[in-house]
Amino acid sequence: MIISFPPGGALDVVGRPVAQKLSEVFKQPVVVENRGGAGGTIGSEYVAKQPADGHVILLTAGTSHGTGSSFYPNLPYDPIRDFVAIAAAVEVVVALAAHPSFEPKTMKELLDYARANPGKVSYGSSGIGSPMHLAGELLRESARVDIVHIPYKGAGPAITDLLGGQIPLAFVSLASVMGHIKAGKLRGMAVVEAQRYRGMPEIPTIKETVPNYDMFTSWLGFFAPAGTPREVVTKLNAEINKALADPELGAALEARALVRLNTTPEQFTEMVRKELELGARFAKMVGGKP
């Protein structure tokens, strides 16, 4: 199992327990290898070139197979043509967090303030082309507000500056700021998802304030090289979904605001297609060049 991001992140939280479950089912070791870099494209390219026999699979995010791929020149693979989608694993809850000193306390107050002060409200993200960047640009477009994007080299530095008050807002994974929100060091303004996150139901959705806000799913999912036999993909899909259904793993994921998904290969393929379409629109929206 190739994980296309460095160790220690959400993909490891998902991939390593699933690998252990697969080892037990198939009665052979499933080796997990992190091949991070370039937004997940290095690990993805490696898997695309492996034999299509089901012995090498990929766990990656939409950064390499969805919205983020629109920001890379000469992508060395096609997310649809060069892979077979196996299963979507989890949805990552994306939240808009604010420093306690930021005057607006609700989404409506934030939008009113931004309209009265165009170009003076900034938000941080984990980088250009990330789902967090997309969340901010969709808010800018749908609510027609002039807010400024500040890209960071990862979520960690963005959260550090948010905690220090250097930036007033940041779109981040809810998991990365849950502790700070509960401790009162940050405020949860809203979540991107269609429904409130049941683990923190007090945080509203953006769509409650901006009805035309385009929600999207920030997912982590499994792929195999194109040409992998259908029966192999079907078996992997069944066993991965079964592993994710484990109550103990479910509790661990829930604690990190990772919402388990259960998809067929066809359903996951459609999710990827939709995100690629959104990614192309995203790149045009920000005038982005790879």
Side-chain angles (χ1 to χ4, degrees):
M1 182 186 296
I2 301 298
I3 294 180
S4 66
F5 285 82
L11 283 99
D12 269 25
V13 173
V14 174
R16 292 182 182 276
V18 169
Q20 180 58 40
K21 296 287 186 183
L22 294 180
S23 295
E24 295 167 5
V25 170
F26 297 136
K27 299 190 181 344
Q28 59 177 305
V30 176
V31 179
V32 177
E33 181 180 343
N34 292 85
R35 284 183 176 245
T41 61
I42 291 175
S44 299
E45 180 185 9
Y46 173 80
V47 173
K49 295 178 179 178
Q50 298 307 301
D53 56 10
H55 286 281
V56 179
I57 62 173
L58 170 71
L59 175 58
T60 191
T63 315
S64 65
H65 277 61
T67 51
S69 61
S70 297
F71 288 80
Y72 287 89
N74 305 316
L75 198 67
Y77 56 84
D78 184 291
I80 298 293
R81 187 183 63 241
D82 295 330
F83 293 89
V84 177
I86 300 173
V90 297
E91 176 183 353
V92 180
V93 179
V94 177
L96 175 60
H99 189 270
S101 66
F102 187 52
E103 187 176 334
K105 298 296 186 283
T106 66
M107 279 300 299
K108 184 180 183 306
E109 291 176 1
L110 164 60
L111 297 178
D112 289 343
Y113 182 84
R115 290 179 182 121
N117 298 274
K120 294 184 179 179
V121 176
S122 58
Y123 72 92
S125 84
S126 55
I128 293 173
S130 67
M132 290 66 183
H133 180 200
L134 171 59
E137 291 306 307
L138 286 174
L139 178 62
R140 183 178 64 82
E141 181 188 63
S142 57
R144 300 190 180 280
V145 289
D146 182 7
I147 54 177
V148 181
H149 176 227
I150 301 177
Y152 285 81
K153 292 181 179 179
I159 293 169
T160 297
D161 272 9
L162 181 62
L163 286 166
Q166 279 76 37
I167 53 174
L169 300 164
F171 277 97
V172 290
S173 68
L174 180 57
S176 63
V177 292
M178 285 176 76
H180 299 307
I181 292 173
K182 290 176 180 177
K185 296 179 180 179
L186 295 176
R187 190 168 63 250
M189 295 285 286
V191 294
V192 168
E193 279 62 32
Q195 298 176 333
R196 296 190 181 202
Y197 174 58
R198 65 182 184 181
M200 299 187 78
E202 68 277 11
I203 303 177
T205 67
I206 290 178
K207 200 170 182 68
E208 289 173 41
T209 306
V210 187
N212 64 329
Y213 185 80
D214 270 335
M215 291 99 52
F216 64 97
T217 299
S218 178
W219 48 258
L220 310 180
F222 292 91
F223 296 85
T228 300
R230 174 70 190 181
E231 60 271 21
V232 174
V233 174
T234 300
K235 180 65 174 174
L236 285 167
N237 172 269
E239 296 302 337
I240 287 170
N241 282 331
K242 190 182 297 183
L244 290 168
D246 178 77
E248 187 176 342
L249 176 56
L253 296 175
E254 186 78 15
R256 292 168 173 81
L258 298 171
V259 180
R260 289 178 290 179
L261 300 172
N262 186 312
T263 68
T264 64
E266 291 77 17
Q267 288 170 331
F268 187 29
T269 299
E270 188 58 27
M271 287 173 62
V272 175
R273 289 187 187 279
K274 287 182 178 179
E275 184 150 332
L276 288 169
E277 291 171 3
L278 183 58
R281 175 186 155 205
F282 178 25
K284 290 180 181 177
M285 190 193 307
V286 300
K289 296 182 179 179

